[in-house]
Amino acid sequence: MSECIFCRIVRGEIPSKKVYEDEHVYAFHDINPVAPVHVLVVPKQHVDSMAHLTAEHEVAMGRLMVAAGQIARDQGCTDGFRTIINTGRVGLQEVYHLHLHILGGADPLPPMLKR
Ligand code: 5GP
Ligand code: ZN
């Protein structure tokens, strides 16, 4: 069994505020939100990062993208939102189980990167 924190959340071993689940995808509120809406969407199958994706992940990642748009709308982000996938050391990825951030609820959101 994986000790990965997001694998443990998917298995229900660590509590989370679930917003969506299907065969391939699990989504939950970020524990430390940086916007009024801050949801994490993960593939149920562990993959370290976006840089580790291969053809075997295409179905799950396609489902993840479709689910993310639906989740954002369900969270009230009908006029737009932002999605982010931090990858690797340079991308300041903290949790090495691929996850898509959905950020919204501010109008507008702050600029993407500080200069
Ligand atoms: P990263 O920097 O890897 O893209 O983002 C990791 C995110 O996971 C952070 O926004 C952090 O707040 C969130 N996070 C870390 N541990 C937990 C947890 O145990 N539960 C939840 N819900 N979010 C977590
Ligand atoms: Zn994992």
Side-chain angles (χ1 to χ4, degrees), residues 29-65:
H29 290 285
D30 195 292
I31 203 168
N32 186 22
V34 299
V37 173
H38 189 170
V39 171
L40 302 175
V41 192
V42 306
K44 285 187 166 176
Q45 181 189 6
H46 179 91
V47 57
D48 280 358
S49 82
M50 193 165 178
H52 294 79
L53 288 174
T54 66
E56 73 169 286
H57 301 106
E58 281 177 3
V59 171
M61 291 308 294
R63 178 75 63 80
L64 186 149
M65 292 300 288

Side-chain angles (χ1 to χ4, degrees), residues 4-96:
C4 162
I5 188 168
F6 287 174
C7 282
R8 296 191 67 198
I9 284 175
V10 167
R11 292 199 299 266
E13 295 169 9
I14 294 175
S16 67
K17 292 185 184 169
K18 179 171 90 172
V19 298
Y20 176 82
E21 180 174 17
D22 67 29
E23 176 191 1
H24 291 294
V25 172
Y26 189 88
F28 53 104
H29 290 285
D30 195 292
I31 203 168
N32 186 22
V34 299
V37 173
H38 189 170
V39 171
L40 302 175
V41 192
V42 306
K44 285 187 166 176
Q45 181 189 6
H46 179 91
V47 57
D48 280 358
S49 82
M50 193 165 178
H52 294 79
L53 288 174
T54 66
E56 73 169 286
H57 301 106
E58 281 177 3
V59 171
M61 291 308 294
R63 178 75 63 80
L64 186 149
M65 292 300 288
V66 174
Q70 183 66 56
I71 291 163
R73 289 193 297 276
D74 291 348
Q75 293 292 316
C77 302
T78 51
D79 289 332
F81 54 90
R82 183 174 299 146
T83 52
I84 297 174
I85 301 176
N86 295 319
T87 301
R89 178 181 61 82
V90 169
L92 299 181
Q93 183 176 359
E94 292 173 14
V95 178
Y96 277 78

